[in-house]
C-alpha cells in the first residue's frame, strides 16, 4: 500500500470510564479508586481512524483535569469538531502536516493547544501508518535501541501503613515513584515507610506542584537519612520557573520539571533559566510522539537527563510509550503505571514480566484493541 491510496476516511471517538484496580492520589488530588464510579470528565478517550482502504489506527488519551485543563468532553469535542476536518484531508503518514494545521486552527497560547486531544489522534495516525508500512511504530521514529523497558512502581499519597503495603505489593519493580502532597511531616513518614521496603532501590519523589520552596527544604531535611532519593519532580507550581531556579540552589537534590514543560520550547525556556536537572517526558502533554521526541532531543542536547512517564494510560498509550522510550536512555525506570493501577487495559498483545515491559514488534502500535468492549462501554459526551 502507498500513502497516496490511504487517505483517512472516518474518525470515531469513544470516551470510556475506565475502572481502577487500586486507589491512586496525587499531590493535586485523587485520580481514581476501585469500586468508585469514574468521573466522566476523567474518562479515557479512544480514537479510531479508518483509511479509504480499510486500514485502522487506534489512539487514546486519559483526561485528568486536576493535572491539566482538558476534560474528556473537551477532548472528544475538539477531535470531532476541529481535528476531524483536518484529518479527512490527510493520510496517516502526514503527522507533521496534521500538527502544523492543528496549530493554525487551535492556536497555542502560552504552550501547545489541546495537546491531549492531539496526542490521541497522533497515536492513531502512527498506528495506522505502521500498519500501512508493515513496521512497528518505533521503526517510524528511527528504530529502537532497547528491547525491554524496566518499570517504576507508582506509590500514591497516603499514610505510612498504606504506602508500605503498596511498596510490598510492588516488590518486582526496580524503582519507586512516591507521590508527596505538600505536608512535610506526613510526606516524610510516607517516604521513610517506602524506603524501608525498597532497600537499595531508587526513590523518585513527585510533588505535582504541591510544595513551597521552604517547605520542600524542610521535607528533605527530615528525610536526609534516606540515601536512595534520586530526584524530586515539579515541587512548585508549573508557572513558577523562578522558584524552580531558586530551589536548585536551596536543596542538594536534582529537580525534574514536568507540568512546567509541555513542549520543547517550554523546556528550552526552563533551561535558559537553569530551572531543572531532568525533564519528565510524557506523550500526552507533548501532543504526540514526534513532539515528545523533540522535547527529549532538546534535553539531551542541553545536558538534561530524561525521565519517562505517562498519565495512567490504558494499553494503547502504554504501548506508544514503549515505542517512544525504546530509543532513549532514561535516568530511572519508566513510570508507566497503567498496568499497575487500572483494572483493564482494553488491549491484548502486551508482555510484562516481573515489571519489565517488552517493546512491541508487530506493525503499528503492536497491540490488538478490544473494540467490542470499548464500543459497549462508550459514553456519550458529544453535544449536538
Amino acid at each position: 500500500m502507498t500513502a497516496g491510496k490511504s487517505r483517512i476516511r472516518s474518525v470515531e471517538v469513544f470516551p470510556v470510564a475506565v475502572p481502577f484496580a487500586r486507589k491512586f492520589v496525587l499531590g493535586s488530588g485523587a485520580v481514581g479508586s476501585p469500586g468508585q464510579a469514574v468521573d466522566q470528565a476523567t474518562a479515557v478517550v479512544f480514537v479510531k481512524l479508518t483509511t479509504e482502504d480499510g486500514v485502522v489506527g487506534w489512539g487514546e488519551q486519559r483526561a485528568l483535569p486536576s493535572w491539566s485543563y482538558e476534560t474528556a468532553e473537551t477532548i472528544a469535542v475538539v477531535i470531532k469538531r476541529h481535528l476531524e476536518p483536518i484529518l479527512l484531508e490527510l493520510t496517516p503518514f502526514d503527522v507533521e502536516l496534521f500538527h502544523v494545521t492543528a496549530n493554525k486552527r487551535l492556536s497555542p497560547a502560552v504552550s501547545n493547544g489541546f495537546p491531549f486531544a492531539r496526542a490521541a489522534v497522533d497515536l492513531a495516525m502512527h498506528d495506522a501508518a505502521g500498519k500501512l508500512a508493515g513496521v512497528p511504530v518505533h521503526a517510524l521514529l528511527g528504530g529502537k535501541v532497547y528491547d525491554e523497558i524496566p518499570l517504576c512502581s507508582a506509590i500514591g499519597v497516603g499514610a505510612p501503613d498504606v504506602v508500605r503495603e503498596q511498596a510490598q505489593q510492588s516488590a518486582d519493580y526496580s524503582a519507586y515513584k512516591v507521590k508527596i502532597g505538600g505536608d512535610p511531616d506526613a510526606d516524610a513518614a510516607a517516604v521513610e515507610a517506602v524506603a524501608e521496603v525498597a532497600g537499595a532501590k531508587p526513590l523518585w519523589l513527585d510533588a505535582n506542584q504541591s510544595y513551597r520552596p521552604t517547605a520542600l527544604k524542610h521535607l528533605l531535611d527530615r528525610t536526609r537519612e534516606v540515601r536512595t532519593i534520586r530526584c524530586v519532580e515539579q515541587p512548585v507550581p508549573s508557572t513558577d520557573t523562578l522558584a524552580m531556579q531558586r530551589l536548585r540552589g536551596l536543596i542538594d537534590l536534582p529537580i525534574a520539571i514536568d507540568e512546567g514543560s509541555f513542549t520543547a520550547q517550554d523546556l528550552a525556556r526552563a533551561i535558559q533559566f537553569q530551572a531543572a536537572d531532568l525533564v519528565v517526558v510524557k506523550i500526552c502533554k507533548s501532543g504526540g510522539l514526534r513532539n515528545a521526541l523533540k522535547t527529549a532531543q532538546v534535553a539531551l542536547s542541553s545536558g538534561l537527563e530524561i525521565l519517562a512517564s505517562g498519565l495512567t494510560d490504558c494499553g494503547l498509550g502504554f504501548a506508544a510509550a514503549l515505542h517512544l522510550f525504546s530509543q532513549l536512555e532514561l535516568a530511572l525506570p519508566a513510570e508507566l503505571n497503567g498496568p499497575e493501577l487500572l483494572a483493564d487495559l482494553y488491549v491484548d498483545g502486551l508482555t510484562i514480566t516481573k515489571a519489565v515491559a517488552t517493546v512491541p514488534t508487530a506493525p503499528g502500535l503492536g497491540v490488538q484493541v478490544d473494540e467490542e468492549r470499548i464500543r459497549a462501554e462508550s459514553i456519550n459526551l458529544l453535544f449536538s
Side-chain angles (χ1 to χ4, degrees):
M1 297 181 186
T2 64
K5 296 180 181 179
S6 58
R7 198 164 75 170
I8 296 166
R9 182 188 70 207
S10 67
V11 180
E12 297 176 84
V13 174
F14 307 100
V16 176
V18 174
F20 275 72
R22 85 174 194 211
K23 185 177 181 180
F24 191 54
V25 180
L26 312 179
S28 55
V31 178
S33 182
Q36 175 184 332
V38 178
D39 182 352
Q40 291 187 359
T42 66
V44 174
V45 179
F46 293 93
V47 178
K48 179 184 179 182
L49 305 182
T50 305
T51 68
E52 291 174 337
D53 38 28
V55 172
V56 169
W58 282 91
E60 70 166 63
Q61 187 50 62
R62 169 177 296 284
L64 193 58
S66 64
W67 196 91
S68 185
Y69 65 88
E70 288 173 87
T71 66
E73 293 94 336
T74 64
I75 292 172
V77 170
V78 164
I79 292 172
K80 287 299 291 181
R81 290 194 178 173
H82 299 284
L83 301 183
E84 181 177 29
I86 297 171
L87 291 165
L88 295 179
E89 298 296 322
L90 304 176
T91 78
F93 295 95
D94 297 320
V95 176
E96 292 293 343
L97 180 56
F98 162 72
H99 284 294
V100 168
T101 310
N103 272 339
K104 292 178 180 177
R105 186 171 181 122
L106 301 169
S107 298
V110 176
S111 192
N112 49 356
F114 296 97
F116 286 36
R118 290 165 58 184
V121 169
D122 179 283
L123 264 58
M125 293 181 77
H126 278 88
D127 188 36
K131 291 171 181 174
L132 283 162
V135 298
V137 163
H138 61 72
L140 298 176
L141 302 176
K144 63 185 169 71
V145 176
Y146 304 103
D147 295 322
E148 296 179 329
I149 309 265
L151 302 177
C152 174
S153 177
I155 309 295
V157 174
D161 58 331
V162 174
V163 298
R164 183 182 293 107
E165 182 180 357
Q166 291 179 358
Q168 290 168 342
Q169 293 172 352
S170 304
D172 285 341
Y173 288 79
S174 52
Y176 294 89
K177 182 174 183 178
V178 184
K179 297 290 185 177
I180 51 178
D183 181 333
D185 294 329
D187 290 335
V191 170
E192 289 165 353
V194 175
E196 290 173 8
V197 177
K201 296 177 183 178
L203 304 184
W204 161 7
L205 306 188
D206 184 8
N208 290 113
Q209 311 181 67
S210 63
Y211 264 87
R212 302 184 314 278
T214 52
L216 181 68
K217 187 175 186 305
H218 176 54
L219 168 66
L220 298 180
D221 287 342
R222 282 282 311 273
T223 56
R224 192 172 298 278
E225 298 305 314
V226 181
R227 301 295 184 183
T228 51
I229 300 175
R230 297 292 180 84
C231 63
V232 59
E233 177 186 333
Q234 198 65 55
V236 297
S238 61
T239 54
D240 204 346
T241 306
L242 294 179
M244 293 280 283
Q245 179 193 57
R246 178 169 172 257
L247 270 171
R248 292 188 69 229
L250 193 64
I251 65 175
D252 295 323
L253 193 67
I255 295 176
I257 190 168
D258 183 14
E259 291 96 325
S261 175
F262 271 50
T263 65
Q265 291 86 350
D266 292 340
L267 180 59
R269 184 166 55 248
I271 291 169
Q272 186 70 21
F273 280 100
Q274 299 184 344
D277 302 287
L278 309 97
V279 61
V280 178
V281 175
K282 283 186 172 85
I283 294 171
C284 59
K285 67 177 181 176
S286 303
L289 287 157
R290 307 295 177 93
N291 289 336
L293 271 181
K294 291 174 185 176
T295 295
Q297 294 305 326
V298 168
L300 294 173
S301 64
S302 303
L304 269 69
E305 294 181 84
I306 293 170
L307 296 169
S309 187
L311 210 63
T312 321
D313 304 306
C314 287
L316 289 161
F318 181 82
L322 296 180
H323 287 283
L324 170 68
F325 295 119
S326 71
Q327 63 178 238
L328 297 172
E329 183 177 353
L330 303 177
L332 290 169
E335 192 256 334
L336 304 170
N337 58 38
E340 183 181 18
L341 298 177
L342 297 178
D344 197 290
L345 298 181
Y346 292 74
V347 302
D348 291 318
L350 291 170
T351 300
I352 305 172
T353 305
K354 289 190 175 295
V356 175
T358 301
V359 180
T361 56
L365 290 173
V367 294
Q368 301 81 50
V369 175
D370 190 346
E371 181 173 352
E372 182 177 348
R373 184 176 179 193
I374 288 172
R375 286 185 178 275
E377 297 183 9
S378 177
I379 52 182
N380 183 20
L381 296 178
L382 295 173
F383 306 107
S384 59

